Amino acid sequence: PPSDVVINGVKVAEAPLLSLDVPPIAMVIAAVDMNNDRFNASVFVSGSASRVYMKDGRLYVAAPLGTPQLLYKAVVKAWDALTPDVKARLNASDPLALYKSLSSLLGERDGAGKLLKALNGTNVTTATSIYVFDLNGLDIRLRAAAEVPGSLLNQFAIEELDGRLVVATTVSDVKFLEPGFLAARLPPPSPMEGDITISEDGKPAVTIRPPPPPAPPPAVYILTVGEPRNSVYLLDPDGRTVSALEGLAPGERIYAARLVERTLYLVTYRQVDPLFAIDLSDVTQPKVLGFLKIPGLLEYLHPVDGGRLLGVGTYVRSIEIGTYERGIKIALFDVSKPTQLREISNITATNVLSPVLYDHHAFAYSPKLRRALIPVPSWRPAGFLAVEWGDRLALRAVINATADRA
């Protein structure tokens, strides 16, 4: 890596470089032999890993591109439009060096507006690096590095099918902001941040004026702007894109994903909540089989038997002008014919939320009993909804218990 890569105060001299972010981090991948108390570990300089997926000796690590890498892309695209004096002051040897020199240049504010305008005219979008590792016993080998547009929602947005990696992403345009952006928007000091007065028997004895908080370091910030769009990419083990399905639900974002056999189900949302069924039978030609628009926002999908899909999410219902009813929604879908998706039944609970919306481990179900437990800790007392599925959904019990996982 470059000589200025420092992790935990130590310069990194010999770790393989995957990507550079601010601050740089070390990604450690370890293989452990549980029977013989042996292990092997490999260390890489990388951006922050957001998702990890493994199947049959192949490990995939997804890391969103950080500001230095996005800036590097923008500068490469805008290079011909930059003035000679700006080019002379930019260190484009690597993304981290470029980030530092660019942050310093923008911090001077002279010409910063023109430079940002040039960078923001390059149409850079969010993107994710995907690193493919082959694991054989204790042997760890980096096989490939790939990049896909957009960002992944959660672990259900990355799966493997027939040796092909399937990723579902939401792509957003990126806007770069000057280093002073954060400082200008810091809130004023709260009453707890003023002078410190120490009193004896009610009489002030000592007054201490703390030093002002340090200004944020010079940095370039990014915002995602414009209309998001969604895509599905299939990659081979060497990181090459086999096929792509792009431009799904423009203006919306992915809120739930689930691969069931050879059909990928996606939920996107803005004002209504479309449920998409995407056929991956032919990995070279993914296609939308059907979609269903439903009220509410599903954030977790779980396959159940009989060609059914169970969804948990939120809903908002207008009662009258300016008055809304909010809560969670549990919905059962018939997906036996992906071209004719339909909602069979639903159960709603007002004025509660569930950790299932952000943590799938909070969801529990029994295929044998055909029942699911959904915690609703926002109740007082906290509890669980016991829901049974069949031809329709049925509420079988409301269980009072203090826990946020089933």
Side-chain angles (χ1 to χ4, degrees), residues 27 57 68 70 103 151 173 196 219 223-224 230 262 280 288 294 296 317 320 340:
M27 178 173 68
L70 295 174
S103 297
S151 56
D173 296 321
I196 301 171
L223 283 180
T224 54
N230 307 286
R262 295 182 175 274
L280 302 180
V288 176
I294 51 176
R317 184 172 69 91
E320 56 186 45
Q340 302 175 26

Side-chain angles (χ1 to χ4, degrees), residues 47-234:
S48 178
S50 61
R51 303 295 164 202
V52 176
Y53 179 84
M54 185 172 179
K55 184 177 181 181
D56 298 334
R58 187 166 295 142
L59 174 69
Y60 302 92
V61 179
L65 264 64
T67 304
Q69 293 167 288
L70 295 174
L71 272 173
Y72 195 86
K73 284 189 168 189
V75 169
V76 169
K77 289 185 176 183
W79 189 256
D80 291 340
L82 301 181
T83 60
D85 60 317
V86 169
K87 291 180 182 178
R89 297 187 59 185
L90 292 179
N91 182 351
S93 59
D94 63 75
L96 185 59
L98 176 67
Y99 173 81
K100 292 180 178 179
S101 61
L102 189 57
S103 297
S104 176
L105 185 61
L106 289 174
E108 297 175 8
R109 308 191 65 82
D110 184 22
K114 290 183 179 180
L115 178 53
L116 284 173
K117 184 177 180 180
L119 297 179
N120 286 327
T122 57
N123 300 319
V124 171
T125 69
T126 54
T128 299
S129 295
I130 297 177
Y131 306 113
V132 185
F133 296 88
D134 283 337
L135 306 181
N136 182 14
L138 297 180
D139 182 54
I140 302 169
R141 183 174 68 89
L142 176 64
R143 176 166 181 164
E147 183 181 306
V148 294
S151 56
L152 280 67
L153 170 68
N154 56 26
Q155 70 184 70
F156 296 108
I158 179 169
E159 297 270 2
E160 190 183 80
L161 177 66
D162 294 341
R164 302 290 191 268
L165 184 68
V166 181
V167 291
T169 69
T170 295
V171 184
S172 300
D173 296 321
V174 169
K175 180 179 180 181
F176 300 102
L177 303 168
E178 60 184 307
F181 169 79
L182 182 61
R185 285 158 177 78
L186 290 175
S190 69
M192 294 295 292
E193 295 173 341
D195 292 348
I196 301 171
T197 301
I198 303 174
S199 300
E200 295 177 341
D201 297 326
K203 296 180 180 181
V206 179
T207 298
I208 304 171
R209 175 159 295 178
V220 180
Y221 299 95
I222 61 171
L223 283 180
T224 54
V225 297
E227 295 287 294
R229 52 272 187 203
N230 307 286
S231 302
V232 177
Y233 298 96
L234 286 89

Side-chain angles (χ1 to χ4, degrees), residues 375-385 398-406:
V376 282
S378 49
W379 264 345
R380 296 295 181 268
F384 293 87
L385 303 180
V398 177
I399 305 169
N400 291 331
T402 303
D404 57 4
R405 290 190 177 189

Side-chain angles (χ1 to χ4, degrees), residues 132 144-147 235-241:
V132 185
E147 183 181 306
L235 283 68
D236 68 14
D238 294 318
R240 294 184 292 261
T241 299

